[in-house]
Amino acid sequence: MKKIMNQAENYTDDMLRGIYAVHGDMVKCASGDLRCYCSARKTQGKVAIVTGGGNGHLPLFLGYVGDGLLDGCGVGDVFQSPSGKQIYQITKEVEAGAGVLYLYGNYTGDVMVFDDAAERCELDDIETRSITGADDVNSSADVNVRRGVAGIFFMYKAAGAKARAMGTLDEVLRAAQKAKDNTRTVGFSLTACIIPEKGIPNFTLGEDEMAMGMGIHGEPGIWNGPLKTAEELARESCDTILKDMPLEKGSQVALLVNGLGSTPLDEQYILADSVIRYLGTKGVKVYRSWVGEYATSMEMAGASITLCKVDEELKGWFDEPVHTPFYTQV
């Protein structure tokens, strides 16, 4: 294990101290807890949006706290959930009189944590709603148990834009739901990653082997086999998505090509070109593209492809400017 760190057990807290030191004008911690990560700005009367999950996926989840997106994020240890108490403390800090939307990935531990926080908020008469990202097509045929991966970015964008426009809590929830209903992701891994506290790879792949459908915590995929070309990966990934979410000729999509931590931008753009050209053969036009690291898995090599079918309403939300310490769109 070669990592720039101090003690492995302090990995997450040391990372957070660095973020607060560099971006203290934009973010702060609530209740003196580094893991209770909040925007330094509050707009009275606006719906607040809170997310959370394990560290190791930067810029997911805390990287999207800021103007036009989210208001708070609970941060757990690497690949571990925060606590319900921490989500509750964040909620009390960011709530601005219009209720709070909990928007997070569909993982058992996180569901339990946010349910606990919602119960605590109910006792304080703080109104909450909850929705999970569940876009990973290869993780299950059942949409209710699919994992939430990079596609949650589009849910953040839609909900954040509606909240910024001073929509009601139910309207912000509807925006997130609309993005969720139209978003699908397929991912693949080329290498494992190393959790600092463990010091060893979280799974193994052969030198010339890759894994299709591998989860961002190392969950098993649907096949392991020889490395494929960018065009082959684009074709298989898009076919999987289009089988699950059929698109008519003339449809438009937002595209997110996401690197998992160690994939050079060169390779991500090669993949993006392959995806855009293949979608063109299906009569599907890419309205707007995002390429880069949006939901990583430590230093894992690999990528994911996310498509979100868009209409004029979703386009408007996705085009809204945002500004966070990790992501700015003008």
Side-chain angles (χ1 to χ4, degrees):
M1 179 172 66
K2 292 183 178 180
K3 293 184 183 294
I4 299 172
M5 63 180 187
N6 298 309
Q7 290 74 35
E9 61 270 21
N10 296 330
Y11 184 86
T12 296
D13 286 343
D14 285 350
M15 176 273 294
L16 286 166
R17 288 189 187 94
I19 294 174
Y20 293 129
V22 174
H23 301 293
D25 60 326
M26 298 181 67
V27 293
K28 64 181 182 180
C29 63
S31 303
D33 187 338
L34 294 172
R35 309 295 184 94
C36 295
Y37 185 92
C38 302
S39 173
R41 302 178 179 89
K42 181 189 287 191
T43 301
Q44 200 61 33
K46 185 186 84 71
V47 171
I49 305 173
V50 174
T51 193
N55 186 27
H57 304 302
L58 281 177
L60 199 69
F61 300 85
L62 59 85
Y64 300 112
V65 172
D67 183 35
L69 286 172
L70 312 179
D71 299 277
C73 174
V75 184
D77 283 324
V78 175
F79 299 173
Q80 302 294 318
S81 300
S83 71
K85 181 180 179 181
Q86 287 168 328
I87 299 300
Y88 168 66
Q89 290 172 329
I90 293 165
T91 304
K92 290 197 299 181
E93 179 67 33
V94 303
E95 196 276 330
V100 179
L101 177 66
Y102 288 157
L103 172 50
Y104 57 96
N106 191 28
Y107 297 91
T108 302
D110 294 334
V111 172
M112 293 174 61
V113 161
F114 278 90
D115 284 350
D116 174 62
E119 290 176 4
R120 293 170 184 257
C121 289
E122 187 175 2
L123 296 175
D124 283 352
D125 294 324
I126 299 174
E127 188 176 12
T128 65
R129 298 282 191 278
S130 294
I131 185 170
T132 58
D135 52 302
D136 189 354
V137 177
N138 279 329
S139 62
S140 177
D142 184 349
V143 296
N144 296 308
V145 299
R146 284 179 178 169
R147 299 184 293 249
V149 286
I152 200 172
F153 169 78
F154 288 129
M155 297 175 68
Y156 289 164
K157 286 284 290 173
K162 192 64 179 179
R164 188 183 195 182
M166 306 303 285
T168 66
L169 181 55
D170 285 337
E171 289 172 339
V172 174
L173 173 62
R174 186 190 74 82
Q177 185 68 55
K178 183 170 183 177
K180 175 179 179 176
D181 291 343
N182 289 283
T183 298
R184 304 289 190 277
T185 298
V186 167
F188 39 87
S189 306
L190 279 61
T191 68
C193 67
I194 298 175
I195 299 172
E197 293 90 335
K198 295 184 178 180
I200 58 174
N202 57 344
F203 60 90
T204 58
L205 286 172
E207 186 65 28
D208 298 318
E209 189 178 34
M210 64 167 290
M212 174 60 73
M214 177 69 70
I216 57 175
H217 306 107
E219 300 95 336
I222 59 171
W223 60 255
N224 289 12
L227 183 64
K228 295 190 175 185
T229 67
E231 290 187 350
E232 290 170 332
L233 290 169
R235 182 165 59 248
E236 178 173 343
S237 300
C238 289
D239 284 346
T240 299
I241 290 173
L242 297 179
K243 182 179 179 181
D244 194 77
M245 183 179 67
L247 297 176
E248 298 177 354
K249 286 187 176 181
S251 296
Q252 295 187 49
V253 296
L255 167 66
L256 174 64
V257 172
N258 169 64
L260 293 178
S262 291
T263 304
L265 272 173
D266 311 50
E267 297 172 26
Q268 294 178 44
Y269 276 101
I270 291 170
L271 181 61
D273 175 62
S274 297
V275 170
I276 292 169
R277 286 190 289 107
Y278 185 66
L279 289 174
T281 68
K282 301 291 186 180
V284 176
K285 181 180 178 181
V286 175
Y287 168 72
R288 186 167 187 160
S289 302
W290 287 261
V291 178
E293 292 185 342
Y294 290 82
T296 64
S297 182
M298 297 297 291
E299 74 277 31
M300 185 185 289
S304 62
I305 296 167
T306 301
L307 301 181
C308 178
K309 181 181 179 181
V310 295
D311 60 9
E312 293 307 310
E313 186 173 46
L314 283 167
K315 289 179 186 178
W317 291 334
F318 293 170
D319 288 344
E320 280 289 308
V322 300
H323 182 51
T324 82
F326 290 78
Y327 169 60
T328 294
Q329 177 178 307
V330 296

